[in-house]
Amino acid sequence: MSLLLGFLLLLVLAYNLFTHFRLRRLQRALENFSAGDAAVRCGVRGAGTLGRLGVRLDQALSDWSAKRQQLSESEERFKMALHGCDIGVWDWRINAGITYYSPRWKTLLGFAEDDTSIHGQPWLQRVYPEDLGRVTQLLEAHLSGQTPVFVAEYRLIKAAGGYLWVQQSGVAVRDVNGEAVRMIGALTDITARREAELALMRSKEAYRAVLEGVTQVIFRADTEGRFVMLNTAWEELTGHAVALSLGECLQSYLEAEDAAVFSNYLQEIQRTPEASLNRELRIRDAAGRSHWFSAAVRTARIEGKIVLAGVLADIEARKIAELELARSNDVRDAILNLGPDGFVFVDPQGIVSFVNPAFTVMTGLPESACIGRALALLEQQLEDLGDRRPSFIDAQEQSDGLFELSVPRKLVVRWQARALPGEGARGHVIYLRDITSESEVDRMKSDFLSTAAHELRTPMSSIFGFSEMLLSREFEPAVQKDLLTRIYRQTKNLINLVNELLDLSRIEARGGKNFKLNVQEVTPILLNAIASQHFPEASHRLVMDWPKLQQKVSVDSDKLQQCIINVLSNAVKYSPEGGQVRISYEEKTANGQMFMGIVVSDEGIGMSPEQTARIFERFYRANTHSGIPGTGLGMALVNEYMKFFSGEVEVRSQTGEGTSVVLWLPVVKKNA
């Protein structure tokens, strides 16, 4: 019995030892697997409970090992993905105050990958002070459950100073009570993007500053002409508010003619998308006034759509200046084309670029023979037409001179040449003035002075000689009377000459203000004039063909009498061979006014048409070589007097057949 108990005890002891050994193997397998040995197995088998437990443990270890391998591979792929996408990961254990930072997170901020000292630093400590308040507010909103995800863009301070722009996102892990105990997130470096955004913002601000700063209107419009963008210059220049103009068509602000042009351009775009428009347009401002703008419009393609981009430059001031310039040019052209003086423009190369009509009339040279040719050739042509060659341009800034033309008619021309203002090579303008009349007047004045001196000297010499004879000798009464009569007659001639000069001077100075006009008959005045004029009986015969008149005229009787005397005196003087001097009457009506004419006709030497045309010129004498006395002032004086009577003088004459002078006077109407 004791042996049996001992055997049983031995069996129990052996079983316990075997069981303990098998349990120990199970324990070591679990410990080794926990230590990371994925290949460990317990190897416990059998039909018993421990055998079945061992089999199941080995199966579990095999499954766990496979899953651990998959997890390891997944983690490795995740790490590689994080490294490849340049993302830093952080794991913040909120209650423990510890944060895990991935190697990439560290390197982004300038820390070493193996630096573990920062794991005890909350990431909020590295937030840029200016961003901390905003980031804290977003974080608290997420931790309190107000937002599903924490997302923020801000700056983190780097290890060496400075900062890094990051985009950070994270999600809180919560306990059963909903409290956040852990937060895992990712960090992305967005510095380059933020710098690009900042540069873009600055560019937009600069672009906007340019748009708002320029004085031209800058706009965009769709293909129907509707504004989609306008700068403030539109409102400044037109008075139309930008906000109200957006969506409106440009052509609605244009004058009708210009709106049609712009509408045609919009139609052209449909056929030729790259078409452009460069044109001056008139835009009505807010007050309805038209302003000129220079429009430059191009097409552009934005997001696949064709849009119009254009600039409108205000050219109103330029248009006004152009209009003033055109008016000035019109005035200049009118002066050049209608003026009596000649003008020649010469370019810096010495080529004639312009001659005005007066020059062609003056010289007889057609425009085609002058323009485009050298000035030297023009000078040669003028020499061929006259007496000398003018040298218009020399080394001087200005020059002048005279030359005479024989063809197409005799002319005396004074010219002046001036260099045009400016720098470098300059052109010239040549001014030519016909001074033939002035030269003739000078000649006539010289002739007058010579004649007047002669006319004055003749009576003066007679008066002096006869007076000297009377003073130095004794004469018979009859001889003495004859000498005194001669002195009287010569004195009278001298007084008449002086009176004519004084009369012309008074007319010029007073304009006829000293005339004494009265309505009266002409016959008494005519008879007094005839009585005052001496007609040599031996050579001249006065014939009166004068009717009895009742018409009256408004004249100064003394001045009209002087006119008749001057005409009668000429009739006698310019018929040296004698003959008949006839006084007759004529009538005519002009513009509803009746005129009566005093006609004085002679049978003298007469005048040519050229002489007749100049008979009223002062100092002019038609015949200066026949010894006929006169000053050339008589008919000029008659003409001036008749103008003040609202009348006129008509001269009919032919060489060798005599002259008829008609003094036409307006008849005063009876009811006047």
Side-chain angles (χ1 to χ4, degrees), residues 448-481:
F448 164 73
L449 291 175
S450 176
T451 303
H454 175 74
E455 294 295 325
L456 289 170
R457 184 175 60 183
T458 299
M460 291 290 287
S461 298
S462 299
I463 294 170
F464 179 78
F466 294 143
S467 300
E468 186 179 29
M469 289 174 63
L470 289 171
L471 291 172
S472 61
R473 296 172 57 185
E474 293 291 336
F475 293 96
E476 294 291 333
V479 175
Q480 186 177 4
K481 182 178 180 181

Side-chain angles (χ1 to χ4, degrees), residues 455-464 466-467 470 478-499 532-536 629:
E455 294 295 325
L456 289 170
R457 184 175 60 183
T458 299
M460 291 290 287
S461 298
S462 299
I463 294 170
F464 179 78
F466 294 143
S467 300
L470 289 171
V479 175
Q480 186 177 4
K481 182 178 180 181
D482 179 64
L483 292 175
L484 289 173
T485 301
R486 291 173 182 266
I487 292 173
Y488 172 77
R489 188 166 57 248
Q490 295 297 337
T491 303
K492 183 178 180 182
N493 291 337
L494 184 60
I495 291 173
N496 289 337
L497 175 60
V498 173
N499 283 338
S532 301
Q533 176 62 38
H534 173 66
F535 293 92

Side-chain angles (χ1 to χ4, degrees), residues 651-664:
V651 179
R652 308 163 186 165
S653 184
Q654 290 186 6
T655 303
E657 297 185 10
T659 302
S660 294
V661 177
V662 186
L663 304 180
W664 290 106

